[in-house]
């Protein structure tokens, strides 16, 4: 009979699972707040990156005046908001401040429990490196966030779309990694010698196809491409915006032309749906009907929201909800891919 090691006996995979689910929920909230921040043009309201001292907002009239003066020096204020008052500035400052504060909260919610679990030897064998990598990825996310903001402080009136896409995709990749690890820990809590799930070719393909859709969704936000058309399924009465072809190299058009980006995001969605349907069926065959239902529910809701966003002229709250459900779709997709991968690991 095999004897469990003291480390295995002290490990608490169930506790780690619930901790990671909590961190994942915070990231989903942060993605939604990030969407609102972008839609309200609030991202450039804080022009400095102060990881520690920036935790507190301005607490006096003089401090608010100083922050507003910094904002008045950047192109966004001079070219887009020259008539903005201090009251208006406080509104956009609020969303960027909440977004950054949530980032700090998530960092603390991950780092401090991780240190506690490590000190108490509660981390199962083989998971320590993975948790440290996820923490490092979260730190990198913060760096990308600042680089994104910095891209809009000198020569632009908004953040660079590619930096916005990098920032968002890193957040969603981190979210996916946390969910996958939590699901591995759930299996380990149920069966002490359970193996981690493997990423199957079906799961990898579905995640890749979804990743392309998420990338173009981020470009949609960065380029305000949702305003390129307000009808559906046609775009301004036509299927394809052919007038943009030949104006610039195709490589540039694919990432910075609002009409073409809108077209790709609109129709690649159906390729993503096909991949997700196949993945959901695979998860169901693997015995996880709930994951299959979650995937179908998430992408169905997401498509309806996307159409509604376009036809309402990019309603702020519908667009924010669209981004929130996008994060939930990532969770559902990873769940289904994990279910399919557990079958292979088994």
């Amino acid at each position: 009979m095999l004897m469990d090691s003291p480390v295995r006996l002290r490990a608490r995979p169930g506790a780690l699972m619930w901790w990671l689910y909590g961190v994942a929920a915070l990231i989903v909230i942060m993605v939604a707040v990030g969407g609102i921040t972008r839609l309200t043009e609030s991202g450039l309201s804080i022009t400095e990156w102060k990881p520690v001292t920036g935790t507190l907002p301005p607490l006096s009239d003089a401090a608010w005046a100083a922050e507003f003066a910094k904002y008045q020096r950047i192109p966004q204020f001079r070219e887009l908001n020259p008539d903005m008052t201090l009251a208006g500035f406080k509104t956009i400052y609020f969303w960027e401040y909440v977004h950054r504060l949530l980032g700090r909260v998530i960092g603390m919610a991950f780092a401090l429990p991780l240190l506690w679990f490590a000190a108490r030897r509660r981390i199962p064998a083989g998971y320590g490196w993975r948790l440290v990598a996820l923490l490092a990825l979260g730190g990198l996310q913060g760096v990308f966030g600042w680089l994104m903001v910095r891209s809009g402080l000198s020569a632009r009136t908004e953040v660079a779309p590619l930096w916005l896409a990098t920032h968002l995709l890193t957040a969603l990749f981190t979210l996916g990694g946390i969910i996958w690890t939590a699901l591995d820990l759930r299996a380990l809590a149920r069966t002490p010698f359970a193996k981690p799930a493997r990423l199957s070719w079906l799961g990898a393909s579905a995640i890749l196809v979804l990743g392309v859709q998420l990338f173009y969704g981020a470009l949609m936000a960065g380029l305000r491409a949702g305003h390129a058309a307000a009808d559906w399924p046609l775009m301004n009465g036509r299927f394809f915006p052919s007038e943009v072809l030949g104006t610039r190299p195709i490589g540039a058009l694919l990432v910075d032309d609002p009409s073409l980006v809108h077209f790709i995001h609109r129709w690649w969605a159906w390729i993503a749906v096909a991949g997700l349907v196949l993945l959901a069926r695979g998860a169901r065959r693997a015995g996880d009907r709930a994951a299959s239902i979650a995937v179908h529910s998430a992408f169905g809701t997401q498509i309806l929201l996307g159409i509604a966003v376009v036809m309402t002229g990019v309603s702020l709250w519908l667009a924010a909800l669209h981004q929130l459900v996008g994060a939930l779709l990532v969770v559902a997709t990873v769940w289904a891919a994990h279910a399919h991968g557990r079958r292979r690991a088994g």
Side-chain angles (χ1 to χ4, degrees):
M1 180 177 177
L2 294 175
M3 297 295 292
D4 283 331
S5 68
V7 173
R8 183 181 292 277
L9 290 172
R10 296 180 65 181
R12 295 293 183 269
L16 270 73
M17 174 196 73
W18 287 112
W19 158 57
L20 290 178
Y21 281 155
V23 174
L26 288 174
I27 294 176
V28 170
I29 294 171
M30 187 173 182
V31 169
V33 172
I36 297 172
T37 301
R38 179 69 189 99
L39 290 163
T40 56
E41 302 287 355
S42 302
L44 299 179
S45 58
I46 303 178
T47 60
E48 297 174 330
W49 190 32
K50 298 179 179 179
V52 178
T53 57
T55 303
L56 294 176
L59 299 176
S60 65
D61 291 342
W64 274 114
E67 288 297 314
F68 191 28
K70 294 173 187 176
Y71 177 70
Q72 289 173 314
R73 290 195 288 268
I74 69 172
Q76 186 181 83
F77 173 83
R78 295 196 303 268
E79 298 181 28
L80 300 181
N81 300 317
D83 299 324
M84 177 176 283
T85 64
L86 179 59
F89 172 72
K90 288 182 178 181
T91 299
I92 64 171
Y93 188 98
F94 168 80
W95 287 113
E96 176 65 6
Y97 173 74
V98 170
H99 187 56
R100 295 194 187 194
L101 183 63
L102 268 173
R104 293 179 173 93
V105 170
I106 291 170
M108 298 294 285
F110 199 107
L112 294 182
L114 176 59
L115 290 173
W116 187 89
F117 284 126
R120 303 280 292 180
R121 297 182 182 274
R122 299 295 197 231
I123 301 175
Y127 284 85
W129 68 268
R130 201 193 303 190
L131 294 171
V132 171
L134 289 170
L135 177 62
L137 195 59
L140 185 62
Q141 165 72 1
V143 173
F144 286 156
W146 169 243
L147 292 174
M148 176 188 69
V149 170
R150 194 176 68 173
S151 71
L153 295 179
S154 55
R156 305 176 61 95
T157 59
E158 72 288 314
V159 300
L162 286 175
W163 273 120
L164 188 150
T166 301
H167 182 56
L168 178 59
L169 290 182
T170 304
L172 295 175
F173 185 81
T174 305
L175 174 64
I178 288 173
I179 292 296
W180 188 283
T181 303
L183 291 170
D184 274 345
L185 289 166
R186 183 180 70 168
L188 191 62
R190 293 174 175 177
T191 307
F193 293 95
K195 297 178 181 179
R198 298 176 183 177
L199 183 60
S200 66
W201 68 267
L202 178 59
S205 299
I207 290 172
L208 179 61
V209 170
L210 178 60
V212 172
Q213 180 68 0
L214 295 170
F215 171 72
Y216 272 94
L219 292 182
M220 285 279 289
L223 294 167
R224 303 185 189 86
H227 296 283
D231 51 346
W232 190 92
L234 300 179
M235 291 181 60
N236 301 313
R238 293 171 298 169
F239 175 72
F240 180 74
S242 57
E243 71 278 1
V244 306
L245 298 180
T247 58
R248 280 176 293 164
I250 189 64
L253 291 174
L254 287 172
V255 295
D256 66 11
D257 182 82
S259 294
L260 190 56
V261 166
H262 186 132
F263 174 83
I264 294 172
H265 185 63
R266 176 181 291 212
W267 295 110
W268 186 268
W270 300 103
I271 299 175
V273 164
L276 292 172
V277 167
L278 292 174
L279 177 62
R281 290 180 177 178
R284 186 163 185 164
R285 288 194 301 269
D288 201 330
R289 183 170 178 269
S292 177
I293 293 173
V295 170
H296 281 94
S297 300
F299 76 64
T301 304
Q302 185 70 339
I303 287 174
L304 292 175
L305 282 171
I307 295 171
V309 168
V310 168
M311 298 190 72
T312 58
V314 189
S315 162
L316 188 152
W317 295 108
L318 283 176
L321 190 58
H322 185 57
Q323 186 154 321
L324 171 64
V325 176
L328 295 177
L329 178 57
V330 169
V331 172
T333 302
V334 171
W335 180 8
H338 187 275
H340 193 259
R342 278 211 54 76
R343 183 181 183 182
R344 289 177 56 86

